Amino acid sequence: MSTVDRENLKALVRSRQPILVLETSEERRIEKLFAEIAISTRKALSSWSSALGLRRCEVIAGSDNELHHKDPAGMLNVIRTTAAAGIYLLYDFHVYMDEPEIVRLIKEIALAHPQPAHTLVMVSHSFAVPDELRAFSRHYELALPDDQALEDMVQGIAVRYSQQNRGRRVKTSREVLNKLVLNLRGLTLTDAARLAHGAIYDDGAIDESDLPEVSRSKYELLDQSGALSFEYDTAKFSEVGGLARLSRWLQRRRSAFLNASAEVDRPRGLLLVGVQGCGKSLAAKAVAGVWGVPLLRLDFGTLYNKFFGETEKNLRDALKTATAMAPCVLWIDEIEKAIAQGDYDSGTSRRMLGTLLTWMAENTHLVFIVATANDISGLPPELIRKGRLDEIFWVDLPSADVRAEILRIHLTQRGESAEAVDLGALVQTSAGFSGAELEQAVVSALYYAREENEPLATRHVLEELEMTRPLSVVMAEKIAAMRAWAESRCVFAD
C-alpha cells in the first residue's frame, strides 16, 4: 500500500474536498486505501455500485448488509440528507453524468460543505467532470508501484508458488529478476502481479525467455489508441549488412542506457537519414535487438483527428504509453512526413511538433528515439539540434564489401548457399544498388530458377540485376545532392 497515496488522499479528505475523481480499475486497492483513511479521519466509509447499491464497507455479513438505493438519484438524496460526515466510493458513476438531475444532486452535496463534510469519490476507468462540478472536484492519480514494491510483489508470488508445489523454489537470477522488475514498471500493482504470476507459474522459473512475453503483454495492457505498434521481431545487427560505425556507436552506449543513473547522461536518440531502401528501418529495429529492449513504432497517420486539439491529445497518449513501456526504443519512421508544415492543416503540424519537442525535453524515462527520414530538408531545425537527439547518421548506398555481405545474408535466409554463386560478379554488377534492391534481385532470381526447375545459379541473379534500374540511376541528381549535403553535416553509418 502506497504511503504517499494514503497521506495525500487523507489530506484532501481533511481539507473537506467535496469530490475526488480517481481514474483507475484498481477498485479493491481503492477500498483498502480509503478504509485506512476512514479510520484515521473518523468518518464512515460506504460504497455504491449499480449492481450492489449503497452499503457500509465494513459490513461483511448479517442482516445489516441489506442492499438498498440502487437508484443513483435515490442514493444521492440519502447522502444529501445524512447528517454524519462520510466518505462515499461511487463506482462507474461516469455513465450518469449526462443526467441533469444527477449532476444537480451532486452539486447540492458539494454546496452543503462543510456541514456535513461528505466526500464523494468517483472511481472509474474514465471520468469527465461536468462544467458545473469543476469548482468542487479534484482529480487524483494514484502513484505507480516503485521497484521495491514490484520486487516484493514478485517475491510474494514466488513464495506462494513454492507453498503450492511442495516447497519447489522458483529458479531465477538477480540479473533476470532486475530485468523483470524493469519490464513491470509503469503498470499498476494488479496488472504487474498478473504478468509476474504468468511468468512464474508457466514453468516455475523466471528466465530470459519470459521477458519478451512480459513486454508484449504489458504493451497490450497499456496501448489504447492504436497509434503505437509493438514490433515483435527486432533484428540483430548480424542481419544488417554494413552500418559498422553505427553499430559501434550503439554498443558504447548500451550500458549507459540500460544502467542509467544521475551521474551519467543517458542516450536520448538518433536520426537516420539517407537513400531509400538502404537499411534505415532495419537499423531502427536492430537498435532494440542490440539493446534487448521492446521496440514501439509510432504511426503519426493514426493520430490525426478532425476535432481541434484531439490530434495533440492522441500524440500525448501515445507518448505516455511509450514512457510506461520504458526501457524501450521508440521508432518514428519517415518523421519528415509526420510533422511537415503546410498551409492547409490549421496549424496542427506545428502543434504536433510542439507537443513532441516538449516531451523530448521533459522526458526522464528510458525511451530512446530512433527517427528515420529520407529528406532532412523537411525537418525543422529545433527538432534536429543537439540535445534533442544525440547524433545524425547518414545511411549511404552500400559499398562493394557491404553488397557482398547483404547478398550473402539474403541468400542464407532463403536456404541458398552463398558459395553456389559468384559473389564477385554479382557485387560488380550491382554497383549503385540499395539493400532493398539487392534483396528483391535475390527473390526474383529464385522465382526465375524455380520456373526453370533448376537450382539457383549466378546467371539467374545477374539477369535480374541487369534488368533493374536502381534508384541511384533513376534519381541520380537528387541522391548526389543529398550525399553532398550529408558530407559535412552527418556521421556516416558505415
Side-chain angles (χ1 to χ4, degrees):
M1 191 73 66
S2 171
T3 303
V4 173
D5 284 331
R6 184 174 61 248
E7 294 305 314
N8 287 344
L9 289 169
K10 186 192 299 183
L12 289 172
V13 170
R14 282 179 169 165
S15 69
R16 300 188 175 185
Q17 179 71 42
I19 304 169
L20 295 177
V21 178
L22 282 79
E23 294 182 334
T24 178
S25 59
E26 293 191 286
E27 294 183 1
R28 300 287 78 80
R29 180 185 174 192
I30 292 296
E31 199 157 302
K32 290 178 182 178
L33 198 58
F34 276 95
E36 296 180 9
I37 294 171
I39 292 172
S40 62
T41 58
R42 297 183 179 182
K43 289 188 175 184
L45 178 65
S46 303
S47 68
W48 180 92
S49 71
S50 59
L52 301 180
L54 182 67
R55 59 178 182 170
R56 293 285 290 270
C57 290
E58 62 267 28
V59 175
I60 298 175
S63 59
D64 289 337
N65 71 344
E66 181 182 352
L67 308 183
H68 53 290
H69 300 300
K70 288 187 179 182
D71 171 57
M75 175 270 297
L76 291 173
N77 268 312
V78 168
I79 296 174
R80 184 178 62 83
T81 57
T82 299
I87 301 172
Y88 297 88
L89 307 179
L90 309 184
Y91 295 118
D92 295 331
F93 214 70
H94 61 282
V95 297
Y96 304 106
M97 299 313 294
D98 58 351
E99 299 180 20
E101 180 188 4
I102 297 296
V103 174
R104 183 63 210 183
L105 279 170
I106 294 174
K107 189 173 183 180
E108 291 288 348
I109 295 171
L111 287 169
H113 257 51
Q115 298 296 330
H118 293 313
T119 302
L120 304 183
V121 184
M122 306 296 183
V123 184
S124 177
H125 74 286
S126 178
F127 194 96
V129 178
D131 291 340
E132 301 94 315
L133 302 179
R134 289 190 186 280
F136 310 100
S137 303
R138 172 76 178 270
H139 270 82
Y140 184 85
E141 186 172 349
L142 292 175
L144 293 171
D146 58 19
D147 288 358
Q148 187 59 55
L150 290 170
E151 183 172 334
D152 290 344
M153 175 272 296
V154 174
Q155 298 283 10
I157 294 175
V159 169
R160 288 196 297 276
Y161 176 86
S162 179
Q163 292 171 344
Q164 295 168 9
N165 291 271
R166 299 180 180 180
R168 178 186 172 189
R169 299 187 65 180
V170 175
K171 296 179 181 179
T172 189
S173 66
R174 168 47 61 181
E175 180 182 4
V176 174
L177 181 59
N178 289 343
K179 287 182 180 180
L180 176 64
V181 169
L182 199 62
N183 275 275
L184 294 175
R185 284 180 183 173
L187 293 176
T188 65
L189 204 58
T190 302
D191 287 338
R194 191 178 302 122
L195 300 190
H197 186 279
I200 291 173
Y201 276 75
D202 177 47
D203 56 4
I206 305 173
D207 52 36
E208 292 280 356
S209 65
D210 292 313
L211 301 180
E213 181 58 36
V214 169
S215 293
R216 283 193 288 268
S217 300
K218 176 181 176 181
Y219 164 75
E220 290 166 2
L221 285 170
L222 292 171
D223 182 56
Q224 302 296 324
S225 67
L228 285 176
S229 59
F230 189 100
E231 298 290 327
Y232 290 93
D233 297 316
T234 53
K236 305 295 183 183
F237 255 95
S238 59
E239 299 172 4
V240 181
L243 308 182
R245 188 173 290 141
L246 173 59
S247 177
R248 288 194 299 271
W249 189 92
L250 290 169
Q251 290 289 2
R252 289 171 183 165
R253 288 159 177 78
R254 183 178 186 275
S255 177
F257 180 75
L258 296 178
N259 305 301
S261 64
E263 293 76 27
V264 180
D265 291 332
R266 65 175 179 83
R268 305 182 69 85
L270 56 85
L271 175 64
L272 300 172
V273 188
V275 182
Q276 292 182 357
C278 286
K280 297 188 299 298
S281 297
L282 187 58
K285 295 180 181 181
V287 175
V290 168
W291 285 359
V293 296
L295 175 65
L296 302 179
R297 181 175 181 176
L298 178 58
D299 182 0
F300 270 85
T302 63
L303 297 174
Y304 283 88
N305 189 294
K306 65 180 180 179
F307 296 107
F308 185 83
E310 282 299 307
T311 301
E312 302 91 281
K313 179 182 180 298
N314 292 340
L315 176 58
R316 287 192 296 271
D317 290 344
L319 294 174
K320 183 179 180 180
T321 299
T323 299
M325 283 293 296
C328 67
V329 172
L330 179 61
W331 171 24
I332 308 176
D333 198 20
E334 296 188 336
I335 191 172
E336 77 276 20
K337 295 180 181 178
I339 55 176
Q341 297 169 18
D343 297 328
Y344 307 104
D345 66 352
S346 303
T348 301
S349 295
R350 178 156 291 280
R351 294 194 300 274
M352 290 277 278
L353 174 61
T355 299
L356 181 60
L357 292 177
T358 299
W359 178 81
M360 291 172 68
E362 296 178 352
N363 175 50
T364 58
H365 296 80
L366 297 180
V367 180
F368 186 82
I369 296 175
V370 178
T372 62
N374 295 317
D375 183 7
I376 200 171
S377 64
L379 294 176
E382 57 266 39
L383 175 66
I384 59 178
R385 71 166 176 81
K386 289 294 181 73
R388 305 282 191 200
L389 300 170
D390 299 319
E391 195 57 84
I392 304 173
F393 283 92
W394 169 261
V395 183
D396 206 350
L397 292 166
S399 63
D401 290 341
V402 175
R403 291 200 302 278
E405 186 180 350
I406 292 173
L407 287 166
R408 186 179 290 106
I409 288 171
H410 290 305
L411 288 167
T412 302
Q413 285 180 343
R414 290 161 178 81
E416 301 291 336
S417 172
E419 309 303 323
V421 298
D422 184 353
L423 276 181
L426 299 182
V427 168
Q428 185 175 359
T429 306
S430 62
F433 277 63
S434 68
E437 290 164 341
L438 290 171
E439 179 181 13
Q440 192 55 46
V442 171
V443 172
S444 298
L446 284 169
Y447 292 148
Y448 182 15
R450 286 168 186 156
E451 182 186 15
E452 294 189 335
N453 200 24
E454 295 180 356
L456 183 69
T458 303
R459 68 180 182 86
H460 297 125
V461 186
L462 279 176
E463 285 193 32
E464 295 300 330
L465 291 173
E466 289 168 352
M467 286 191 298
T468 302
R469 292 295 175 267
L471 194 65
S472 62
V473 172
V474 176
M475 303 187 68
E477 295 80 9
K478 184 174 182 179
I479 290 176
M482 291 170 62
R483 188 180 288 116
W485 177 91
E487 191 72 41
S488 59
R489 295 175 173 86
C490 301
V491 175
F492 276 60
D494 207 355

